[in-house]
Amino acid sequence: QATIAGPGLFYKKDGEFFELLSEQVEWKTTGALKNIASAGIVKKDLRGSVAGPSSRNFLRNPMEIVLAPPPGRTVNSYVLLPMRSKSGEREFNVGPVNKKSGVAKGAIPFGVEKVGENQFRIVLTTPLGPGEYGILGVIPDDPDGTSSKMYTFRILI
């Protein structure tokens, strides 16, 4: 059994786990982080982007991603978002959680399966198509709420 060391997001390749690299999010919506409540609930539609035309993490289906949330976070703090390339960046939109589905607007729903102490595998009902994706931890990492990191990856055919 492959091991995961410490909190973070990890993907499995050739039977081993590697850390998914995170990238800095540039919010395009003014006051964006004021609209993310401490419980990870997005209050209004937000738009953000990540620099560069593509993620450095290349994954193939069937992909296996494991979330190991840091202290104070739960697996419910993460949102899986499709991204689109535009002007050398990757953009995404995220909005409030839909009361019926429990999924944030613009997000791709996923389930989780506990695979270890504070470790959860992402379970998708259908494989992701080729393209750019990001997993956003919707609780800001710093008390001032000035930064956000997104774990990005690209699905190859």
Side-chain angles (χ1 to χ4, degrees):
Q1 176 66 13
T3 56
I4 290 174
L9 272 75
F10 301 86
Y11 66 96
K12 194 173 191 176
K13 183 179 181 180
D14 302 328
E16 282 187 69
F17 280 100
F18 298 91
E19 193 159 5
L20 261 182
L21 303 170
S22 65
E23 298 184 69
Q24 194 65 43
V25 170
E26 195 66 47
W27 292 104
K28 307 278 190 192
T29 310
T30 51
L33 289 165
K34 290 184 182 74
N35 290 295
I36 298 177
S38 60
I41 304 299
V42 180
K43 294 186 206 165
K44 71 174 194 175
D45 289 349
L46 302 178
R47 200 168 91 231
S49 71
V50 178
S54 176
S55 174
R56 294 167 303 185
N57 298 307
F58 290 92
L59 307 184
R60 292 185 184 279
N61 283 316
M63 63 167 201
E64 184 172 342
I65 294 179
V66 172
L67 294 168
R73 286 209 187 170
T74 69
V75 291
N76 299 330
S77 310
Y78 296 91
V79 185
L80 174 58
L81 297 164
M83 302 170 84
R84 60 198 170 277
S85 294
K86 186 178 175 185
S87 311
E89 299 181 324
R90 286 155 287 150
E91 289 190 343
F92 64 91
N93 290 49
V94 61
V97 169
N98 177 304
K99 301 266 189 292
K100 273 191 192 148
S101 69
V103 177
K105 182 173 162 188
I108 298 165
F110 65 88
V112 291
E113 176 186 334
K114 191 170 171 115
V115 293
E117 188 61 40
N118 198 37
Q119 295 176 359
F120 304 87
R121 178 177 23 235
I122 289 180
V123 180
L124 294 162
T125 47
T126 53
L128 297 174
E132 299 286 337
Y133 297 90
I135 297 173
L136 184 66
V138 288
I139 300 174
D141 289 315
D142 60 318
D144 304 330
T146 53
S147 74
S148 284
K149 291 207 178 343
M150 182 177 245
Y151 297 90
T152 64
F153 59 95
R154 176 180 216 172
I155 294 283
L156 301 169
I157 297 167

